[in-house]
Amino acid sequence: GTYDFRVWEKLTIIAQSGDMPYGFFETRIDSPFKNWADLVNFAKKNPGKLTCGGPGAGGVMNLNVIEAAKAAGIEVKYVPFAGGGPSGTALLGGHVDFRVCLPPEAYPNVKAGKTRGLAISYGKRLPEMPDVPTFKELGLMEVIPPISYDFWGPPNLPANLVNQISKAVEKAVKDPEYLEFCKRMVYQPVFKDAAMLKEDIKFFEEKVGPKLEAAFPKK
């Protein structure tokens, strides 16, 4: 089916070198919404009017919008685009009220003062955009796990090899050059070993998988 969460069960998990939140909510700098509360107030006074651009329909970013709207008790009309470029253009052109995107897609415009971040689906605020509150701070919902940059191996990779590679990844994540790269790309340098990654996958399977299947039933 569409949601094959189990592809990783055949592979060997090794380690994570970094992650990036899926859900960054962004609006134009001249929009009447100075923060998430403004957006919620507007939606409550104007039911069915609030629009959010995002990449395609039916993915994790779409789910972030659905979950946030549900938690805030508002209605949001999701407008799918063919990726971050077109949704950014639509936002700047005033065709949608806000959009959901990845932090690197928002960062140049936020930095240039063209847009402002309203909320981020992540465990903590991003050092690159420290004034954007997290979903949790806004009382929205459990965080949907971020995109994880992982190392995987073929099935049945020997434990000593897994350990060796994992230690190398842990060392690399502290490397100044890698940290500089992360800053430039708005990635978060977060090391996790195989055991920690398994916990994340379990959380995704038990909490996020069913939500995806409920929100976007298979045709």
Side-chain angles (χ1 to χ4, degrees), residues 139-163:
L140 288 180
M141 62 184 214
E142 301 180 89
V143 172
I144 287 175
I147 298 167
S148 179
Y149 297 100
D150 306 336
F151 289 81
W152 295 74
N156 312 313
L157 196 66
N160 63 332
L161 254 177
V162 171
N163 203 19

Side-chain angles (χ1 to χ4, degrees), residues 142-204:
E142 301 180 89
V143 172
I144 287 175
I147 298 167
S148 179
Y149 297 100
D150 306 336
F151 289 81
W152 295 74
N156 312 313
L157 196 66
N160 63 332
L161 254 177
V162 171
N163 203 19
Q164 232 175 320
I165 302 166
S166 179
K167 281 198 161 53
V169 172
E170 187 171 13
K171 197 178 164 194
V173 168
K174 298 183 182 119
D175 185 276
E177 231 175 290
Y178 179 70
L179 295 174
E180 192 46 51
F181 164 80
C182 285
K183 216 176 162 158
R184 213 170 49 242
M185 303 299 291
V186 200
Y187 286 0
Q188 304 309 309
V190 184
F191 170 78
K192 286 184 180 178
D193 62 19
M196 291 153 97
L197 264 179
K198 276 182 185 143
E199 281 306 305
D200 285 357
I201 290 166
K202 196 172 152 212
F203 179 87
F204 194 94

Side-chain angles (χ1 to χ4, degrees), residues 74-86:
I74 58 172
E75 208 183 307
V76 177
K77 190 175 170 216
Y78 188 80
V79 185
F81 290 89

Side-chain angles (χ1 to χ4, degrees), residues 10-31:
K10 303 173 188 81
L11 303 173
T12 304
I13 308 171
I14 301 171
Q16 173 185 295
S17 63
D19 66 20
M20 180 165 59
Y22 272 108
F24 188 93
F25 290 173
E26 177 190 29
T27 191
R28 288 180 308 287
I29 204 80
D30 58 1
S31 113

Side-chain angles (χ1 to χ4, degrees), residues 73-121:
I74 58 172
E75 208 183 307
V76 177
K77 190 175 170 216
Y78 188 80
V79 185
F81 290 89
S87 73
T89 306
L91 177 73
L92 291 171
H95 305 295
V96 288
D97 295 311
F98 73 112
R99 75 160 175 160
V100 61
C101 62
L102 299 172
E105 293 170 334
Y107 187 56
N109 280 333
V110 169
K111 219 178 157 191
K114 291 180 183 174
T115 60
R116 89 164 49 84
L118 296 170
I120 187 160
S121 171

